[in-house]
């Protein structure tokens, strides 16, 4: 159903957050100039460690580089630590009143949404999937009420690997009078366009991405949120100062333009090879279609297979006790040698 929309995305922000006067660091106050003596931030003056100065708290160079990489304006970019998890937590703190509001998400999905809801005292509403683990925009919208502030969409989803079609994401963004947060951690492996293509038309849309997956920088723990400039500015005001350390910022800047085309193509090819190889095994009941760099696989005895693979030096993720994933293991697509080793190990269990 179509509903009237508030046109200013700031209307979705909690009043106390809108009124917040953010902490101002010494480097926030510095607007540029030819400085050779730094006496503003109570740092050590001795550069022997190479780490004695605070990093840029507003990540200006990184926002310029990420804006170029993703084709968005730098003022639409927020950069967070802990991968996308910092941005997920900020969504709750910015938009949801504890003890009153609720959020909606399809199940199964990334577990941090529910954990962050519990931490922030926000009701978390799960939408059960169809038997094939898919769901629709209508399913999500039907679960909302006047106190629903955020709809979470993980696409491609974790742990299923299934994408919600972009046309369905657009329906949610158009019809829901609240924040639509689309987590695209695995978008580089997908055949579907990014929801970033919708950002200019829907000011209630927030798109999360990460450097942890396709770009191979999980150890750096850098995530991004893309939003209309007024919302991106709120994210920057609410985050803690200096949330990305200096060496991490420099390392990312040095690697941000690395070409990952060949690696992504190989993972996609290996995903399809692995899907076919697993599907041929008698211990496998079903391999779900995937738009990500992993496969959700249903076994006749998931716990037994998991323990056996560990004994063979192969670690996968046991999702057997996750709602709607009974009997399933989540298997990341590795190198060709790793994938062959996995399949050969599973052949020996028969």
């Amino acid at each position: 159903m179509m509903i009237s929309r508030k046109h200013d995305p700031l209307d979705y922000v909690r009043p106390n957050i809108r009124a917040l006067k953010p902490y101002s660091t010494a480097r926030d106050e510095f607007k540029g100039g030819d400085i050779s003596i730094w006496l503003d931030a109570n740092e050590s003056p001795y550069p022997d460690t190479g780490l004695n100065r605070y990093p840029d708290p507003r990540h200006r160079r990184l926002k310029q580089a990420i804006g170029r990489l993703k084709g968005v304006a730098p003022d639409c970019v927020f950069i967070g630590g802990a991968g996308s998890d910092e941005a997920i937590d900020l969504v709750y703190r910015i938009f949801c009143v504890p003890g009153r509001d609720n959020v909606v998400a399809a199940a199964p999905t990334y577990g941090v949404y529910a954990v962050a809801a519990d931490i922030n005292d926000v009701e978390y509403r799960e939408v059960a999937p169809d038997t094939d683990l898919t769901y629709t925009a209508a399913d999500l919208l039907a679960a909302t009420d006047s106190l629903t502030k955020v709809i979470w969409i993980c696409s491609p989803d974790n742990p299923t690997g299934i994408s919600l079609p972009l046309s369905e994401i657009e329906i949610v963004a158009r019809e829901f009078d609240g924040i639509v947060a689309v987590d695209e951690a695995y978008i580089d492996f997908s055949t579907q366009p990014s929801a970033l293509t919708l950002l200019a038309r829907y000011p209630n849309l927030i798109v999360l991405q990460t450097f942890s997956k396709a770009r191979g920088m999980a150890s750096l723990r850098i995530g991004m949120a893309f939003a209309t400039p007024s919302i991106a500015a709120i994210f920057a005001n609410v985050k803690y100062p200096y949330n990305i350390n200096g060496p991490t910022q420099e390392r990312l800047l040095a690697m941000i333009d690395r070409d990952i085309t060949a690696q992504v193509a190989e993972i996609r090819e290996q995903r399809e090879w692995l899907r076919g190889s697993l599907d041929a095994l008698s211990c496998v009941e079903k391999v779900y279609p995937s738009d990500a760099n992993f496969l959700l696989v249903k076994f006749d005895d998931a716990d037994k297979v998991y323990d056996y693979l560990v004994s063979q030096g192969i670690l996968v993720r046991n999702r057997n006790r996750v709602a709607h994933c009974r009997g399933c293991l989540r298997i990341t697509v590795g190198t060709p040698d790793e994938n062959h080793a996995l399949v050969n190990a599973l052949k020996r269990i028969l």
Side-chain angles (χ1 to χ4, degrees):
M1 61 180 178
M2 294 295 293
I3 59 178
S4 61
R5 170 173 312 289
K6 302 172 184 177
H7 295 290
D8 185 350
L10 290 178
D11 288 338
Y12 302 118
V13 176
R14 291 168 53 188
N16 65 305
I17 299 297
R18 286 190 66 175
L20 177 70
K21 183 177 181 181
Y23 176 76
S24 178
T25 72
R27 298 296 141 80
D28 281 318
E29 297 165 1
F30 173 59
K31 302 303 180 183
D34 187 12
I35 304 297
S36 58
I37 299 176
W38 298 86
L39 304 177
D40 62 328
N42 302 334
E43 302 150 317
S44 169
Y46 306 111
D48 50 306
T49 64
L51 302 170
N52 60 311
R53 298 299 180 190
Y54 283 109
D56 175 13
R58 296 292 171 172
H59 321 129
R60 294 171 180 87
R61 292 167 61 205
L62 267 182
K63 287 181 179 178
Q64 292 285 341
I66 290 172
R68 289 194 301 271
L69 180 69
K70 300 295 183 177
V72 300
D75 61 356
C76 293
V77 179
F78 167 77
I79 308 170
S84 298
D85 294 346
E86 181 179 3
I88 290 169
D89 181 64
L90 286 176
V91 167
Y92 284 100
R93 290 199 276 143
I94 291 169
F95 300 107
C96 298
V97 176
R100 188 194 75 179
D101 293 338
N102 68 73
V103 302
V104 167
T109 195
Y110 184 40
V112 169
Y113 310 144
V115 172
D118 288 343
I119 291 170
N120 287 280
D121 193 19
V122 174
E123 180 190 355
Y124 185 82
R125 297 184 174 184
E126 289 188 331
V127 174
D130 292 334
T131 55
D132 61 356
L133 300 185
T134 63
Y135 62 95
T136 67
D139 296 330
L140 294 172
L141 293 168
T144 65
D145 62 19
S146 62
L147 294 178
T148 306
K149 294 302 187 293
V150 179
I151 294 178
W152 291 104
I153 300 173
C154 188
S155 183
D157 182 56
N158 174 17
T160 69
I162 299 170
S163 291
L164 184 66
L166 192 63
S167 58
E168 292 288 291
I169 293 175
E170 184 167 13
I171 290 171
V172 179
R174 184 176 66 242
E175 298 195 9
F176 178 55
D177 194 11
I179 294 297
V180 179
V182 182
D183 188 345
E184 293 188 334
Y186 301 95
I187 192 64
D188 295 285
F189 307 106
S190 175
T191 57
Q192 177 170 278
S194 168
L196 286 175
T197 58
L198 305 176
L199 200 60
R201 299 204 299 277
Y202 298 100
N204 62 326
L205 186 65
I206 297 173
V207 180
L208 279 60
Q209 293 188 8
T210 182
F211 285 95
S212 295
K213 308 301 181 182
R215 294 199 162 268
M217 299 184 228
S219 184
L220 293 186
R221 309 307 297 126
I222 297 293
M224 302 157 281
F226 303 94
T228 191
S230 60
I231 294 301
I234 294 287
F235 269 77
N237 289 344
V238 176
K239 77 170 182 68
Y240 287 112
Y242 306 118
N243 63 326
I244 309 294
N245 67 64
T248 293
Q249 292 192 44
E250 293 302 320
R251 185 71 181 273
L252 181 55
L253 281 167
M255 298 177 68
I256 199 168
D257 292 322
R258 187 172 66 93
D259 187 2
I260 61 171
T261 305
Q263 288 185 354
V264 170
E266 181 171 81
I267 288 173
R268 286 175 173 171
E269 292 171 0
Q270 284 294 301
R271 178 182 68 200
E272 299 313 308
W273 177 87
L274 189 58
R275 182 182 179 189
S277 299
L278 292 171
D279 201 38
L281 298 176
S282 61
C283 62
V284 171
E285 292 187 9
K286 182 173 183 176
V287 182
Y288 288 90
S290 176
D291 225 10
N293 68 331
F294 58 84
L295 294 167
L296 187 68
V297 185
K298 188 172 184 179
F299 289 87
D300 52 15
D301 190 337
D303 288 340
K304 175 184 175 182
V305 173
Y306 176 83
D307 291 340
Y308 168 76
L309 288 175
V310 168
S311 75
Q312 301 300 301
I314 300 172
L315 186 62
V316 298
R317 192 77 187 273
N318 193 340
R319 302 282 78 187
N320 187 30
R321 290 161 186 82
V322 173
H324 312 290
C325 292
R326 183 69 179 171
C328 290
L329 304 179
R330 192 193 69 191
I331 301 175
T332 305
V333 179
T335 64
D337 286 346
E338 290 171 335
N339 298 330
H340 279 84
L342 168 73
V343 171
N344 288 334
L346 289 172
K347 288 179 179 178
R348 292 193 298 271
I349 200 176
L350 302 181

